[in-house]
Amino acid sequence: MSKYVDDVYARISILLGQMHNNLSMFKPQNKEAVNVVLAPYIELLESIFVNEIPIARIRDESNLIIHAEGEALSEHLALKAVSRTFENTINALSELLIASFDKAEPNSVKKQINLSLTGLAPGSLFLGVDCKSKNNQATLFEENETINVDEKITKIINSFVLSTDFISEDGVDQEINDAIQDPLLRDSSLLAALSLTPTGRQGISSIEFFTPTKNPTRKLTPAIRKKLRSDIRKGFSQNSSKKETFFGTVRVINLDTSRFIIKLDNGLKLRCFYPGFDNIKARQILDRKVMVTGTYVSDKAGNPRLLTLTDPPVVQIHN
């Protein structure tokens, strides 16, 4: 499928037809007159081939497109900025998938997913990413083999891109709770946005995202990142009064956002928010079986997905 490239070439075809018609109509008598007729068309065609076709190819071959702007990218594509942006994207998407697939393990996601750079284009930085499951690896993500893993990955990426429409310098718009109703996916999307929003210290001033089916979202800036980080560190965007105790194994810890994921005994994942973390406590519970108590938010199926701890996590000691 090459929808966007085909659209660009259709415009080129129209321009060539106009050039032919103008030459036929004016019948210039010398080379100088021909150049006068052709000059604006040549300039426009050059712009299309240099600027539009590379971006069209990226849109056809990617399921996530990133557009970054800033001093580091104003004249030339700085290799360091490109490398850092791609690396941050891989890490953010990997963490997003780890949370979204209950069977996905932190150490195996990057082996099970193709995250490839599909292209670069001038005009600041346009970066395309193709995120798909590797051959014969799909069942590592789900018990149900009938699930189309690549379709689910696309939905996850679309939700992430959608989430950025609800982020501004005023904070996270609470309407995001209705737009992305899966609580774990919603929180994971906000965390991914935080990871990818520029700090302003590395020459990148803004970043925006789009997909083959969705136009660019709101540009995320260092000022927006500061407010987003503050909101995330306060807890989840949706609260509940339902309180319960759960048992599971701690798989992922993010000290900066006071979050960790436990894999429950039933195989599902539960993200926990506990602001009392430090490095020592984190090392004590990572990969350990713990008991956690707090108020939780469920998904549509009634499965608990987000837990705000009311008590410290307790490591379970087995005799």
Side-chain angles (χ1 to χ4, degrees):
M1 181 179 179
S2 56
K3 175 186 181 305
Y4 292 98
V5 170
D6 288 347
D7 288 346
V8 175
Y9 276 109
R11 287 179 54 217
I12 292 173
S13 179
I14 292 171
L15 285 173
L16 292 174
Q18 291 174 347
M19 290 171 62
H20 178 268
N21 291 339
N22 281 341
L23 287 173
S24 300
M25 184 182 303
F26 295 109
K27 297 180 179 179
Q29 300 301 310
N30 52 59
K31 184 177 180 181
E32 184 177 338
V34 170
N35 290 340
V36 170
V37 173
L38 295 183
Y41 293 102
I42 292 173
E43 183 178 353
L44 185 54
L45 286 169
E46 183 180 44
S47 175
I48 290 173
F49 277 102
V50 171
N51 298 316
E52 296 187 33
I53 286 181
I55 297 174
R57 286 202 177 102
I58 287 173
R59 296 195 75 164
D60 281 331
E61 298 171 1
S62 312
N63 49 13
L64 177 65
I65 302 97
I66 299 167
H67 178 212
E69 296 178 309
E71 191 176 302
L73 306 167
S74 57
E75 295 183 2
H76 305 286
L77 290 179
L79 181 59
K80 188 175 182 181
V82 173
S83 176
R84 185 185 299 114
T85 302
F86 186 55
E87 182 180 352
N88 288 345
T89 301
I90 289 178
N91 291 335
L93 288 180
S94 296
E95 291 175 6
L96 187 59
L97 295 174
I98 288 169
S100 301
F101 287 92
D102 284 312
K103 289 191 68 178
E105 292 293 334
N107 295 330
S108 60
V109 163
K110 291 181 182 179
K111 298 177 183 178
Q112 298 167 18
I113 290 290
N114 272 323
L115 279 163
S116 57
L117 182 65
T118 56
L120 297 171
S124 51
L125 167 65
F126 283 91
L127 186 150
V129 179
D130 184 41
C131 183
K132 288 186 176 68
S133 59
K134 292 184 178 178
N135 293 335
N136 303 319
Q137 296 291 325
T139 54
L140 293 175
F141 286 95
E142 296 289 350
E143 294 284 355
N144 186 350
E145 296 184 15
T146 63
I147 290 177
N148 187 315
V149 175
D150 286 334
E151 282 186 8
K152 183 169 180 178
I153 289 174
T154 298
K155 289 180 180 178
I156 291 168
I157 290 175
N158 288 344
S159 293
F160 157 65
V161 173
L162 176 62
S163 74
T164 61
D165 280 335
F166 297 90
I167 304 169
S168 70
E169 291 186 21
D170 296 325
V172 178
D173 189 332
Q174 292 304 299
E175 289 187 7
I176 193 175
N177 296 331
D178 296 323
I180 306 175
Q181 296 188 2
D182 184 310
L184 182 55
L185 178 57
R186 180 174 62 244
D187 192 67
S188 298
S189 296
L190 292 175
L191 292 177
L194 178 65
S195 296
L196 291 172
T197 301
T199 62
R201 295 191 298 267
Q202 297 167 340
I204 298 178
S205 58
S206 69
I207 194 166
E208 61 185 344
F209 309 93
F210 53 106
T211 69
T213 58
K214 182 172 172 54
N215 289 328
T217 59
R218 174 181 284 128
K219 289 185 178 181
L220 302 182
T221 64
I224 289 177
R225 185 185 191 279
K226 183 177 181 180
K227 179 58 179 172
L228 175 60
R229 185 169 182 262
S230 174
D231 281 1
I232 285 177
R233 297 183 78 177
K234 292 176 183 175
F236 302 124
S237 64
Q238 185 179 11
N239 296 314
S240 171
S241 59
K242 295 181 291 186
K243 187 174 181 179
E244 194 167 326
T245 296
F246 301 93
F247 297 88
T249 303
V250 177
R251 304 303 295 138
V252 180
I253 298 176
N254 186 325
L255 289 175
D256 183 58
T257 61
S258 301
R259 283 160 167 74
F260 62 96
I261 290 178
I262 66 171
K263 191 166 187 177
L264 300 174
D265 291 342
N266 62 6
L268 297 179
K269 285 179 178 173
L270 176 67
R271 172 167 284 139
C272 303
F273 174 71
Y274 179 62
F277 261 140
D278 57 29
N279 281 319
I280 296 176
K281 291 178 181 177
R283 285 197 297 268
Q284 290 173 344
I285 69 169
L286 184 61
D287 293 326
R288 302 286 297 276
K289 184 78 174 286
V290 297
M291 177 183 75
V292 289
T293 300
T295 58
Y296 68 95
V297 177
S298 303
D299 60 19
K300 282 186 175 180
N303 299 310
R305 285 303 193 180
L306 303 178
L307 180 75
T308 300
L309 272 67
T310 55
D311 304 297
V314 178
V315 175
Q316 299 295 285
I317 300 176
H318 300 282
N319 295 325

